[in-house]
Amino acid sequence: MKVRRWIYAAFAVAISALAALIAWDAMQRRDAGAIPDMNDARRIAAGKRVYDAHCAACHGANLEGQPDWRTRRADGRLPAPPHDDSGHTWHHPFEVLFAITKYGLVPPHAPAGYASDMPGFGDRLGDEEIWAVLAYIRSRWSERIRATHDELQRQAAAQRPR
């Protein structure tokens, strides 16, 4: 009898976790909305202003990141990575970058309890400001990296449920 209760409890926890993950995913998709024109000059200029005010202190004025960004510090956290071609920002679709910027490094984009200095900016920046920062960052990538990211973005869009 105790085994059956344990199985029911485990099943209930698994269903609850799945429901939470589905709700989180839906929330991110709703919040991100449609991806705006990331080549719009006004959006890019606005993004530079927002980047300079909120991102450059950690990620560098030239998107260069903090020194030795791949090596954990004594506190176990990684330094801020670069957002230029040398970093890994362009390895992620815009929806993921939007969610990380808005909510921070939390599940599903980082393990639960992941220690990071990257805060969520959803309480300080509106969605359009977040998109503007991403447009600015994208504008600084080389043509080759933009083309690679555009292909990644097309693949991500094709995999999205309709």
Side-chain angles (χ1 to χ4, degrees):
M1 202 57 142
K2 286 185 178 185
V3 171
R4 186 177 291 173
R5 277 191 223 147
W6 184 87
I7 290 171
Y8 287 140
F11 183 72
V13 168
I15 293 297
S16 297
L18 181 61
L21 184 61
I22 291 169
W24 176 263
D25 184 61
M27 179 179 70
Q28 288 182 62
R29 290 175 196 274
R30 183 199 73 229
D31 284 352
I35 298 170
D37 178 3
M38 300 303 268
N39 295 310
D40 179 82
R42 287 181 299 201
R43 180 170 289 111
I44 292 167
K48 179 176 180 4
R49 289 188 296 275
V50 175
Y51 181 90
D52 289 347
H54 296 278
C55 312
C58 294
H59 292 283
N62 292 309
L63 290 77
E64 72 275 12
Q66 293 176 337
D68 211 15
W69 64 276
R70 291 184 174 133
T71 303
R72 292 196 182 278
R73 300 182 311 229
D75 65 3
R77 297 172 185 233
L78 289 168
H83 290 310
D84 61 13
D85 287 12
S86 71
H88 58 81
T89 306
W90 55 271
H91 291 104
H92 304 290
F94 282 127
E95 293 88 352
V96 170
L97 297 173
F98 180 92
I100 290 171
T101 306
K102 187 165 184 168
Y103 301 110
L105 281 167
V106 296
H109 305 298
Y114 183 77
S116 172
D117 291 332
M118 175 64 186
F121 283 89
D123 62 341
R124 288 169 269 183
L125 300 177
D127 290 359
E128 180 52 38
E129 291 172 301
I130 293 171
W131 284 122
V133 165
L134 296 175
Y136 169 67
I137 290 169
R138 181 188 184 279
S139 77
R140 299 287 307 273
W141 295 337
S142 67
E143 284 294 325
R144 181 181 65 82
I145 295 298
R146 279 198 301 267
T148 300
H149 186 264
D150 289 349
E151 179 56 31
L152 176 126
Q153 192 63 42
R154 277 191 287 281
Q155 291 172 8
Q159 293 176 358
R160 226 175 281 123
R162 299 198 190 278

